[in-house]
Amino acid sequence: MSQDDLNTFRELLDEFDTAMLVTRRDAELRSRPMAIADVTPDGRVRFITRDDSGKLAELEDDDAVNVAMQGDATFLSISGHARLTKEEMIIDESWKRKQSPWFAEGRDDPHVIVIEVIPTFAEYWDRSGVGIVRLAIERARAAVADDDRLRTDRLGKHGSVDFHGRPL
């Protein structure tokens, strides 16, 4: 993992307010939109939810998750493991006013719980610097040349971050 890829990943991650949290139940994958509560400097993504939510049973059975994000020209996919916590410090770090409607007692509601996704691998695609004209020209050039390398190499940034073996 290069520091540049990690920095790019963090910069792109900071652009998103919501994500699709994908969990597993038996052989089925389940996705649901979640507001991103917090992102730590080492790339952990935190969501606040209720401890009586059905997704917690899924996470207790299998903590492997994926977090998927899509913007107009930016895409992120994070594979990792979910950790459930009611630690006050983490709730305080992650709490946003927009979560209040779901909790009668605000951040002190006994049902507040944080899902913290600890990344193992992340991949990103950033096409934000690619104009539509350039994109059309590059795709046409790739088709005429029948060269797969031209199809993606010059159409923005693509990278990955392997968190295995990296202390978090």
Side-chain angles (χ1 to χ4, degrees):
M1 162 181 45
S2 78
Q3 188 62 43
D4 285 345
D5 280 334
L6 181 59
N7 291 343
T8 300
F9 165 73
R10 282 283 303 136
E11 289 169 12
L12 295 174
L13 185 55
D14 287 341
E15 294 178 17
F16 291 94
D17 295 327
T18 59
M20 293 296 288
L21 176 64
V22 183
T23 58
R24 206 170 17 196
R25 180 153 197 122
D26 301 321
E28 294 180 350
L29 297 175
R30 306 255 172 101
S31 301
R32 79 245 329 130
M34 300 281 295
I36 297 171
D38 189 29
V39 176
T40 66
D42 61 3
R44 294 178 189 215
V45 180
R46 294 176 177 164
F47 304 99
I48 291 183
T49 193
R50 295 181 56 86
D51 64 3
D52 54 0
S53 166
K55 66 185 144 295
L56 269 64
E58 295 169 12
L59 293 171
E60 288 169 353
D61 288 344
D62 187 343
D63 70 349
V65 296
N66 179 269
V67 178
M69 291 163 254
Q70 176 182 345
D72 289 338
T74 307
F75 309 86
L76 287 173
S77 175
I78 303 168
S79 299
H81 296 277
R83 179 176 85 96
L84 304 174
T85 182
K86 287 190 170 219
E87 291 177 45
E88 283 185 42
M89 183 182 79
I90 291 177
I91 291 171
D92 287 344
E93 289 173 359
S94 304
W95 186 264
K96 304 279 186 295
R97 183 180 307 270
K98 64 185 173 186
Q99 288 139 348
S100 295
W102 288 273
F103 302 97
E105 298 174 40
R107 76 175 66 186
D108 297 322
D109 192 298
H111 292 289
V112 171
I113 192 165
V114 174
I115 301 171
E116 182 176 60
V117 176
I118 302 164
T120 55
F121 186 82
E123 194 165 14
Y124 63 84
W125 299 262
D126 180 13
R127 308 285 187 249
S128 61
V130 177
I132 192 69
V133 173
R134 179 174 169 222
L135 181 62
I137 291 169
E138 293 296 336
R139 286 196 175 155
R141 184 180 294 153
V144 168
D146 196 29
D147 187 343
D148 284 338
R149 289 173 298 154
L150 291 176
R151 293 183 199 279
T152 58
D153 289 351
R154 299 191 317 213
L155 300 179
K157 294 181 196 172
H158 172 253
S160 61
V161 182
D162 187 347
F163 291 89
H164 289 99
R166 177 177 161 72
L168 290 177

